[in-house]
Structures are given as structure tokens and as C-alpha cells.
Amino acid sequence: MKLKKSITLIALLFFNIALFAQGGFKLSGKILSNSDQSPVPGANVIIKGGSSGTISDFDGNYQIAVKAGDVVVVSYIGFTSQEVVITDQTSLTTYLEEDASELEEIVVVGYGARKKSDLTGSVSSVKTEELTAFPVLDAAQALQGRAAGVVVQSNNGGEPGAPISIKIRGNTSINASSSPLIVVDGFVGGAMPQPNDIASLEVLKDASAAAIYGSRGSNGVVLVTTKKGKKGALNIELNSTYAVQNTANRLDLLNAGDFATYQQEVFNNQALTAGESPVSYSGGSENTDWQDLIYQQGNTQNHQLSFSGGSEKTNFYASGNYFKQEGVVVNSGFERATFLSNIDSQVTDKLKLGLNLFGSRSTQNGIATQASGGVTAGNDDVVTLSMRFSPDLGVIAEDGSFQTDTRGDFLDNPYAVATERINETITDNFRANSYLSYDILEGLTFRTTLGFSSVNQTEGLFLPSTLPVTASQKGGEATLLNSTRSTILSENYLTYIREIGKGKLTLLGGYSYQKDSNETFTAGAQKFPSNSVGYHNLNAGAVTMQPTSFRRVSETLSQFGRVNYDYDDRYLLTATIRRDGASNFSKNEKYATFPSAALGWKISNESFFQNVEAVSNLKLRASWGETGNQAISPYGSLASLRAIYSSVNGQQVNAVTPDQPSNPDLKWETSVQTNIGLDLGLLKNRINLSLDYYNIDTKDLIMRNTGLPKYFGFLNDEILANVGEINNQGFEISLNANVISTKDFSWNTDINWSTNKNKVVKLLNNTDWFNSAAPSYFSVGNTYILREGEAVGQFWGYDYVGVHQGGDLPEGTVGASSTTLEGDPLFKDLDGDGVRGAKDQTIIGDPNPDFTYGFNNNLSYKNWDLNIFIQGSQGGEIFNMTNVQLYNGESNTTYDYFNASKDGSAPRAGNNSTREISSRFVEDGSYIRLKNVALGYNLPENIVEKIGFENVRLSVSAQNLFTITDYSGLDPEVSYFGGSGSNNTKRNTAQGFDFGNYPTLQSVNFSLNIKF
């Protein structure tokens, strides 16, 4: 009790609350669920026999004019209606009893909430128990396979702290991000909280649902609402998990003896090709399994303690979380501490205030992976090095230094790179969001929010001189990067709700202002006197590297409005419009307007449908709308200068030169989306089915126009322009069924299935657009293409047709060189000139899957419960760049290729020294995975009460138990984001490439949940 009073006092002091009396005979009420005292939003409150009425807000509050003797009727679908006779009371709290046969879900939408049955847009809700089915870093990971049309993937396998990629309904851009907008407790761009802190999570997929967010809604919106306190006694909850983790798969690589045999075959074949006498392979005397050296058993621990409670006027929720993961690759790990708190106070009958706070500090110990970020042939990533490095060499050379490999590229050994290289990233994340809600008149509410967030990140990298290839010539190298990103967000809007005859009208109108700032500073040094200095003392380096810094600021100003009209619980209308202005664009196209409209028809509520007992719900939905994507960084449309070094009278001086011209007509990327949906409920909603078809045309894609003449004098001869268009269309199916529901046993299943077809509609001058996703040291040409009429990011290379069996070349084929011997690879000769060249390259694969799916089952028997979750993808192809490297003869290889190269089913060893890019390395990426199996047990109530707890739950779960796939690599969920030294994490063109990914994890988790 003292704690409750203290918390209430703190809230009162913080908000400077002044209570005041309300005049007039207005009834202020609150509607709560009797089962858990949670608010019931959207409930109908009417005067019996009259025409006046209102609806409760998201927190269950309402106001209505009454007089003595009136009968107030409170009703809501899923609850039994209640009638209350008014005497002279001015406040009323109504507890509604749930009606299990009618219970309906409330869904959060932009700037409000709706009954699920009243939705006209395409919205997927993910249940809290699904988000917490197994331990994850944040809730984004838990979304995988849970919602139709939503693809979730780690950007680097099971790397501790790796960012998560979410895509909704495919790629709606080419160069810009296709990540959805994350809105947490109304804060646009908020960091995803811990799953145990989430009360509800909704995915807005179509334009009708997402258009209220205008220029940032083209990729969909993920709405997250965190938990709030409830009136009653203090509740304390402890969630604690510990997981043991191992690599889900490893490559079957040659041991030292077979490696020597393989290398001798390589030497023999290369000599045969050159017409020379073969030399003998002379290797080392060790037998090292480099994968064993860099991989270890990892573990994860996650502990969270939360407090919640409330009084008549104030409620609160607060939690603290500690997450720590020791990676399966040595020297990799992630540690984070997080807090979250929500305070809501009903100051008066009309005024409500609230504050949401979130903060975290994380430390990531990273290792080099994915051969990106300027990696060259010698200092490759740890995972790739463990596959490439010769197994007949040891960790330490005879002179006591770390062993290097001179077979092929000059390489540092993977264990040295993993243990000696230091890469630490410290991230501080803070968010504060406050709101004020005031009931101006009956049915009219004003809400204003003010929020601030900041992300401060410091990344230190030290390459010691103990790495002979990477840094010994530099005497060690250290760099330090600091970046700060901050956001200020202010939103103000009015909501008006009114009953009009048989109809219910909801009007929303508002104004939003957002300012984003990003500052970055980098410094570095080389030639350190000692490797103990690290990156903490840059002035110790004898050679100072050129520092860099920049600051970017952008502002977005918006006005938005929405109309919802529901007539007679049969016909639904939603219309939305938002006008955005962004400083990223020049004055000619600074503002853009994004409208949408949607209709819904509850067919099952029509009189002619009343006798169809098997169908409890049938609703048809149709929507159209436009959403946008800013797609450029600040100042991207403006003329700019670049700093350069110049010479005056033989002296080096700093100077500037024109970098790029302005494009005052550059405008937003715009996605025009149509959605047609059907919702069907059968057998009193025991079976629920949702079907959706969508079509998205994204126009005015912002890409580089390379047609700028060089004599204009700009360093950058490319200018951003609206020169492209792409199309996405697909189907989504979601099925939920309460298969069995008895007193002791229940079985609930969820199935989702979705397909997306992506096509490039228009490019500049109908010209193909090429690029490479291969590591920079591959020294190959382009690996993927954008072409009108084809899917985004298709693989580009030579069409491999098999192994030459000797004699004349088969008609229509060509070898890799002018001399093609038996055992060499053959390719299609597309131009018919008998020589393999650029004109023989063609589209050789498509990384886009045909469809994805998830299958979730929850079973319970008395105090036991079981979850089985299966997730998969069908049809997407993978370009296995790992095999391109391992089959080139200059490194270790797999037993599959070793045996195939000898029996003639694969080209002879040593033929791929140029790292061939061909369909030979394109594989089917289809898979089906047992994602999670969890068994839980709730201690009986009599035992729990004796030990003084409310509930105690124990569970054990396992993730990624097995995967069925034909893919020969480590894992079919590839996410290689590097290529030519660049980072393609936020781009959509380099897809389906596999090289150097951190391995996927196989985990066994033990969990404890205690409620006090």
C-alpha cells in the first residue's frame, strides 16, 4: 500500500496535477472487463429510449449528459450488456461480464483502436503468447512466420545483436529501404521493446491501414503497444530463461590427408591445361579442423522483472530486463540492460496524462563476418576463413607467430582473426513520450503527444600487429566511430465520435511535426608501440588517419485526417488523407498528399443471411490508397560540394569542388495499392479465415541517372531522378481454428500462407541495371540484374550445362577458355561466336520465393501445454558464393565436390581459379523448419498458494531442431548483405547470396515464470 501511495505521489508531482471540480450534470464513466479489470475501448453507451450516446475511448473512459431517472445501457460485442439507473451520481464504473460465445478482439490502428469486425483494411494481429513462445533479442525476431505477408530475417544468421530485417508484401523500392515503419506507443520510429513488455502488436499491411502515416507507410507499419498497469494490488512478475546453443549445421570439409590428395589433383589438372609437367604438393604436417576451433557452445540468458498496479486515478507498469548472449563463434557476444515504464493518471473526469519511458545500453563484441566492409582477400571474415584455410596447417607457426596460409590468397588464420581482432560497439538508446488527453465536449477528445528519442553509438575497432596479413605492415590499426541520432516528435489530434441514427461516425484530424538529427565522427591511427593500447588511445599511433565527420538534419511536417462510418453494423467506410512536407526535397516537390479509401460489407449481418447458422461472420473488404517513401537522405536533392586536396605553388591545400547538381523536381516514391479481402467465421467463430489479394504499383522510384555529361565539371556524374517503377502483387491466407475445446483439453492452430510476385516495370531508357554482390576480392563482373519485366535482383552469369566429356564441344556450348579439356565446365554459347564472353551471360536464377508459410499449434491438457511451430519458404533460389570460393582449387573444399570432381559428375579440380559466376552455383533455397517446440507446466494452485505466489510456470523449449532442405550450404535463410565493400542491408537488389554468414543457432531453453 505504501508503494502504491508513493508511486501516486511521484506521478502527481511529475505532472503538477491540479484537481478541479466539474460543473453540470455530466456522467463520467469507466468500463472495465470483470475478469481482469482491463479497459474496454469502443463500448457503446446510450440512453435507453433516447437518441444520445457515446463510445468509450481506448482506456475505457467516456462522458455523457444524463438526468435523474435515465437508464444508461452499456454494451459491447463479447460482453453481456448492462443497464444502470441514474440517480444523482456523476461518476460510474461498469464491469462487463465476458460472453465467451461473442467475445471479439480489439485491434490497434494508427491513432486509435477498432473492433476487429469493423476493420476495412488488411491488419494482422500477433498474440502476446506467440511473441513470448521462445526467447529472442527483441519482438521483431518473434514475428517470423506469425503473419501472412510478413518476412522476418536476421541480417547475419545467429550473430549476437544482429539487426533484424522485416519486409511486408515484398520490396516496394529498389535503392530505398523496404523496412516497415515501427511505431511504439505512438512514437514513430521507436525501438522494438522486449516481447514480455508488449500488450499488443499489429501489422498494417495495406494502404487503407497504413496511409494515415503517409510518406513513411509504403512498406507497411508495425504498431506496438506496451503493457499498462491496472487498478488493484501490486503485481510482480519474474521471467527468467537460460539457453544452450550450438551451430545448426557445419560444412563437411576435407581433413589434412584428403586435402593433400585434392591439392595434388589441382596441380596435375592445372599442369595439364598449361601443357606443363605437374609439380608435387608440399603442405604442412598438422590436421586442423578450423571450424572446431572457431565454434563453441554458446548460451543466452534473459531475465526480466516487472511491476504493475494502480489506484482509482493512477496506474503504472515498469520493467527491467537483462539479456546476455555468448555467441557460438569465439569472442562474439552481446549484452544489454533495458528498462521500460508507463504511468497513466486520470487527473480529472476530463483530463488524462501519461508518460512512457524506455532506455537501454548494449555492448556487442563483434567478429568479422560476411566479407563486407572493405574486406580484402587476405583479411577475410572468420567464418569464410575457417572454410578456406588449409587443414594441414596449425594455429602457430614455427617462429611463434600466428600461422598464415600462402596457398592461393595470403590469409590470416581464422582463430587469430577471431581472438586477436577487437570490435566493440556500445549503444545507448533512450525514448520518452508523454501525452495529454482532454475531453472537450461529449464525444470530442483532444490528444497531444511530445516525444524525444536518442541513439548514441560508439564503435571501436582494433587490428593488432599480431595479424601478419591484416595489420602487421601497418603496425596495428585502430578506428573509433561515434554517431548520435535523435528525434523530436510532436503530434496533436482531435477525435470526434457520434451516433447518428443507425450509424456511428468517427472523425480524426491532426497535425504532426518530426525532426531527425544524425551526427557522426570517425578517427583512426596506425603504427602503435604496443598492441595493449587498443582503440582507447588513438594519440599513441605514430600515423594519424584522416578524420571524418558529418551532420544531417531533416524535418517532416504533416496534416492528417480520417473518417470512419459504420452503418447499422453492416456497411463500413474508412477514408484517410495525409499531407506531408519533408526538408529532404527541394521546393518544387517538398509536399505530397497521400489519400486512401476502404469499404466493408458485413454480409453475415444482412437479414437474408440470418438463417445460415454455420456462418457466424462473413465480411467483404476492398481498399485503395497511396503511401510514400522519402527514399533519400537529407540534402539528397540539393547541389553539393565535396572537399578535396589540391595544389597551389607546389603546396598541398584544402579545397572544394562541385560534387552534384540539384534536382528541384525530385519527388517522393509513391506506392499505389489495391487490396481485396474476405473474412469468414464458421461455427460460432471457432474457425476464422482471412483471404487477401493485393496489387502495389510503386512509381517515381528514385535512382541514379548516369546521363550527366562529364564536361559539366561535377565529380559525381550521377544525379538522383525519378526513373523507375516496380510492381508487387500477391495472395495471403490466414486460418485460425479452435480444433478442440473441452474442460481439460484444447487445441488451437494458426496457419498463414502468402505469395508475392515482384516485377520491374520501368527503368531509365529501358536500360538494364547491373551490379555485383560478390566480395571485392572475387574480381568478377556483375552478379545480379534489374531488367524490365523481370523480378528485382535476379542472378546474372553464365548458364552452366554440364561437364565436357571429351572430343568436340557439343553444339551451342562453349568452355571457360579457348582450351577446353575433358572434365572442364561447359556453358551455353548464347551469341554463337564460340568464345565465352559478356554476351553469353544471362539471367540464371531468381531469389524471390514462390510462397512462405507458418504453422503454429497450441495444445493444453490440464496444467500442461505444448507449442509446435513450423515455418518455411518455397521456391526462392540461392547463389552459393561459398562454393564459388571452395571449388576454385586454391583453398579447402567440401567432400561433395571432392568426390564429384573425381567421378566426373562435377568439373575437374582446379578449373575455377577465376571464381566463375554461373548457374552451377545456383541452388533451390526451399526449406521447411521446425522452428519451435515448447513444453510448459503450471504448478497446481494449492501448491502455488502455499509458497505465496500467484502462479509458477516452468517450461523447456527447443529452436531450429531440424530443417528439411536441398540446399548444400550452412542454412537456406541466407542474408549476405555485403558486396564489393558495400553494405546492402537496407537495399533490396542484392538478395539470395550466401557467403560468410554467421551460423544459424540450434537452442535448448529452460524458462521460469513467477507471478507474485
Side-chain angles (χ1 to χ4, degrees), residues 723 761-769 786-788:
V723 293
V761 177
K762 181 181 178 181
L763 292 172
L764 177 65
N765 300 324
N766 305 324
T767 304
D768 294 340
W769 188 89
L786 298 181
R787 172 176 286 176
E788 290 186 4

Side-chain angles (χ1 to χ4, degrees), residues 51 118 135 146 156 308-309 370 447 490 513 522 699 752 760 787 905 955 983 988 1009:
S51 60
D118 290 343
R146 303 291 187 182
N156 193 14
S308 64
Q370 298 198 347
R447 187 180 179 97
S490 173
Y513 170 79
T522 306
K699 302 178 180 181
N752 69 79
V760 178
R787 172 176 286 176
S905 59
S955 64
N983 185 327
N988 310 298
N1009 171 264

Side-chain angles (χ1 to χ4, degrees), residues 204 423 438 445 489 999:
L204 313 184
N423 188 189
Y438 187 76
T445 302
L489 176 66

Side-chain angles (χ1 to χ4, degrees), residues 166-402:
I166 305 175
K167 289 184 179 179
I168 300 173
R169 293 185 168 181
N171 300 324
T172 56
S173 183
I174 290 180
N175 282 327
S177 171
S178 280
S179 299
L181 181 68
I182 307 294
V183 181
V184 181
D185 291 324
F187 191 91
V188 176
M192 192 75 80
Q194 285 286 315
N196 285 318
D197 285 329
I198 294 177
S200 66
L201 187 149
E202 276 76 32
V203 182
L204 313 184
K205 296 186 288 188
D206 74 333
S208 172
I212 195 70
Y213 291 102
S215 64
R216 292 162 293 186
S218 63
N219 303 319
V221 180
V222 178
L223 294 180
V224 180
T225 304
T226 57
K227 293 179 178 178
K228 296 180 180 293
K230 301 174 184 178
K231 175 187 173 182
L234 176 67
N235 295 305
I236 303 175
E237 183 172 352
L238 171 67
N239 289 282
S240 185
T241 66
Y242 181 83
V244 177
Q245 297 167 328
N246 289 285
T247 55
N249 190 20
R250 298 186 186 185
L251 293 186
D252 188 15
L253 302 173
L254 303 185
N255 60 31
D258 291 329
F259 176 73
T261 302
Y262 169 67
Q263 286 299 307
Q264 189 59 59
E265 290 179 2
V266 171
F267 285 4
N268 293 342
N269 288 329
Q270 290 175 342
L272 181 64
T273 300
E276 302 172 350
S277 298
V279 297
S280 298
Y281 173 73
S282 178
S285 58
E286 301 288 337
N287 186 16
T288 306
D289 187 329
W290 292 103
Q291 291 184 105
D292 267 353
L293 280 182
I294 70 160
Y295 294 141
Q296 63 183 2
Q297 185 179 82
N299 63 79
T300 296
Q301 51 181 308
N302 190 13
H303 311 288
Q304 179 163 322
L305 188 63
S306 63
F307 306 84
S308 64
S311 62
E312 289 287 345
K313 294 291 186 180
T314 302
N315 59 60
F316 70 93
Y317 174 87
S319 73
N321 177 275
Y322 175 74
F323 180 96
K324 184 177 182 180
Q325 181 177 3
E326 184 177 356
V328 296
V329 178
V330 295
N331 208 31
S332 65
F334 183 81
E335 187 175 17
R336 184 177 67 186
T338 305
F339 77 86
L340 181 141
S341 69
N342 287 320
I343 301 176
D344 300 275
S345 180
Q346 189 70 51
V347 182
T348 70
D349 292 336
K350 291 189 173 185
L351 177 65
K352 186 172 184 179
L353 301 174
L355 176 67
N356 169 267
L357 297 174
F358 171 86
S360 68
R361 161 164 279 209
S362 64
T363 301
Q364 181 181 23
N365 293 315
I367 49 132
T369 58
Q370 298 198 347
S372 61
V375 166
T376 59
N379 62 345
D380 214 337
D381 67 83
V382 172
V383 175
T384 304
L385 283 171
S386 72
M387 302 171 185
R388 296 178 64 187
F389 210 86
S390 299
D392 54 9
L393 299 176
V395 176
I396 305 298
E398 291 182 0
D399 62 1
S401 64
F402 282 110

Side-chain angles (χ1 to χ4, degrees), residues 426-481:
I426 299 175
T427 305
D428 292 319
N429 197 322
F430 174 77
R431 181 180 73 247
N433 197 28
S434 61
Y435 75 87
L436 178 152
S437 178
Y438 187 76
D439 296 329
I440 302 173
L441 300 169
E442 182 179 330
L444 180 63
T445 302
F446 171 71
R447 187 180 179 97
T448 180
T449 67
L450 178 63
F452 171 80
S453 73
S454 68
V455 179
N456 192 353
Q457 189 172 81
T458 300
E459 180 180 1
L461 174 64
F462 183 66
L463 307 175
S465 59
T466 52
L467 297 175
V469 180
T470 305
S472 64
Q473 298 301 315
K474 303 174 183 178
E477 179 177 294
T479 56
L480 190 63
L481 180 149

